[in-house]
Amino acid sequence: MSDPFYQLQWQRLDLALLQQPQPEVWICQLHCAVPSIAGNKWLKLKYHIQQIQQHNKSGILSFGGAFSNHLLALAAAGQHFGFSTVGVVRSHQPDLANPTLQQCRKLGMQLQFVSPALYRTKTTAMLLAELQQQYPDYLIVPEGGTSAAAVQGVAELPLAATPNGPADLLCCASASGGTIAGLIVGSNGTPVLGISVVKDASLSQKISVLLPEPASQWHWQLQPELTNRAYGKFTAETLHTCLELATQQIYTEPVYTGKALHTLLQLLARGELAPYRRIAFFHTGGLQGLAGLRYRSLIRDADYCKLSGAN
Ligand SMILES: Cc1ncc(COP(=O)(O)O)c(C=O)c1O
């Protein structure tokens, strides 16, 4: 289905550095009229927004960490489309100077802070019922925006249609599983490789539950990212890869897309993807997270500028 709200940009990755014949790798970026909703965010949100419009709800409540790409995208969508937003944030101590939360507030999002312990119970019926009682007129959307509606939106992405012809492998970073589930459903049988950037032993199961038919009917695989770092942590090598990619005008951050591409490059270097001819990688956005990494001194100012394309 055509969607006037976004445009796709394709960039071919220069793999000369890998020094052996390799499949082509194409990076697919989704640019939106509202930049904070770029990447997978618009695709995951669009049918939630349609639901609140159809049911005359006043807003959307969702969950995220203190530097959540999803919450910022939701706040931006709320401001753009004129609905209210509530962000339930996992944080001991509210730090309102954090650049992500500052932006969320500027965009009109109401923030509620919950302790990590309480947050862990966020899917329990009791907490959800409490929140629904507090915000009776809101649609409650799970963390990361992952739901059947998100899968429906991502499934519309024509990721296999690279400018050089059909891809024979689709790839993306995976955390809560909604994006890869959408790619799988929309893949028309093209195999999908998700690179997990979280240490979550139940991720495969979460993805399976999102698929409309038994998981065995589809061609997909989950590969843990290869630096073996916890979610949100990254190695100097991953950061180096992100900086290298920036020299090709492919801007990434090291928590999601950069980490996944670093693993993809390692798999290519090992020859593990040699059977494929053309790989399409979905750039899921998240560049706003760079400001949070700089804020916590996890990247230097100079790297922030390079990674965000400022110089
Ligand atoms: C930039 C970015 N990439 C990838 C993902 C992973 O997507 P999913 O949670 O749907 O697996 C996220 C999380 O939503 C994200 O913010």
Side-chain angles (χ1 to χ4, degrees):
M1 188 200 290
S2 85
D3 180 340
F5 196 65
Y6 72 79
Q7 284 187 329
L8 294 184
Q9 180 196 1
W10 289 95
Q11 287 163 283
R12 186 169 169 182
L13 197 58
D14 177 1
L15 293 172
L17 64 157
L18 294 176
Q19 289 174 356
Q20 70 225 58
Q22 294 290 350
E24 294 173 16
V25 177
W26 287 86
I27 312 287
C28 176
Q29 294 204 53
L30 189 152
H31 296 291
C32 275
V34 181
S36 316
I37 321 179
N40 57 350
K41 306 296 166 233
W42 168 244
L43 299 177
K44 290 175 85 174
L45 282 173
K46 64 186 276 190
Y47 287 110
H48 292 114
I49 296 170
Q50 200 181 77
Q51 278 175 28
I52 61 165
Q53 288 167 343
Q54 280 170 352
H55 296 104
N56 279 328
K57 290 194 175 280
S58 56
I60 295 180
L61 176 149
S62 195
F63 306 85
F67 296 91
S68 167
N69 296 319
H70 163 62
L71 287 185
L72 179 54
L74 177 61
Q79 193 199 47
H80 183 77
F81 292 101
F83 61 87
S84 306
T85 55
V86 175
V88 179
V89 183
R90 172 185 4 104
S91 178
H92 273 303
Q93 281 189 328
D95 172 12
L96 296 173
N98 151 348
T100 304
L101 297 182
Q102 254 187 6
Q103 281 233 63
C104 285
R105 286 193 353 148
K106 236 188 240 169
L107 291 162
M109 178 175 262
Q110 190 183 330
L111 298 176
Q112 278 217 11
F113 294 91
V114 297
S115 70
L118 182 58
Y119 189 90
R120 275 195 288 278
T121 70
K122 68 183 176 297
T123 50
T124 64
M126 221 166 73
L127 179 65
L128 291 181
E130 229 171 73
L131 285 166
Q132 196 71 82
Q133 205 173 22
Q134 207 179 338
Y135 298 98
D137 207 18
Y138 280 63
L139 177 70
I140 296 185
V141 170
E143 183 172 9
T146 284
S147 67
V151 173
Q152 184 188 358
V154 176
E156 290 175 2
L157 181 72
L159 184 60
T162 83
N164 248 9
D168 53 4
L169 181 67
L170 311 180
C171 186
C172 70
S174 194
S176 64
T179 305
I180 184 178
L183 293 185
I184 296 165
V185 171
S187 67
N188 264 327
T190 306
V192 184
L193 175 68
I195 299 179
S196 169
V197 298
V198 290
K199 287 200 179 308
D200 178 357
S202 64
L203 183 52
S204 280
Q205 178 54 24
K206 287 178 183 163
I207 295 165
S208 301
V209 167
L210 289 164
L211 299 174
E213 284 160 45
S216 58
Q217 308 257 324
W218 312 87
H219 303 288
W220 63 281
Q221 205 184 327
L222 206 53
Q223 157 79 54
E225 66 86 18
L226 289 169
T227 62
N228 201 23
R229 289 297 185 278
Y231 167 70
K233 306 261 190 273
F234 54 89
T235 60
E237 289 74 25
T238 299
L239 184 59
H240 180 74
T241 295
C242 295
L243 290 165
E244 283 280 311
L245 292 168
T247 65
Q248 297 186 33
Q249 283 76 52
I250 295 168
Y251 300 107
T252 59
E253 43 63 52
V255 173
Y256 291 99
T257 50
K259 210 180 207 181
L261 279 166
H262 183 68
T263 287
L264 186 69
L265 289 171
Q266 282 178 284
L267 295 173
L268 286 162
R270 292 176 182 178
E272 291 187 27
L273 300 175
Y276 298 101
R277 275 192 326 141
R278 192 171 296 123
I279 300 171
F281 179 89
F282 181 25
H283 188 314
T284 39
L287 291 182
Q288 73 85 25
L290 289 168
L293 296 178
R294 178 174 65 169
Y295 176 74
R296 286 171 286 167
S297 303
L298 297 174
I299 56 173
R300 297 174 310 153
D301 283 351
D303 291 342
Y304 171 82
C305 291
K306 287 179 192 152
L307 296 176
S308 55
N311 69 9

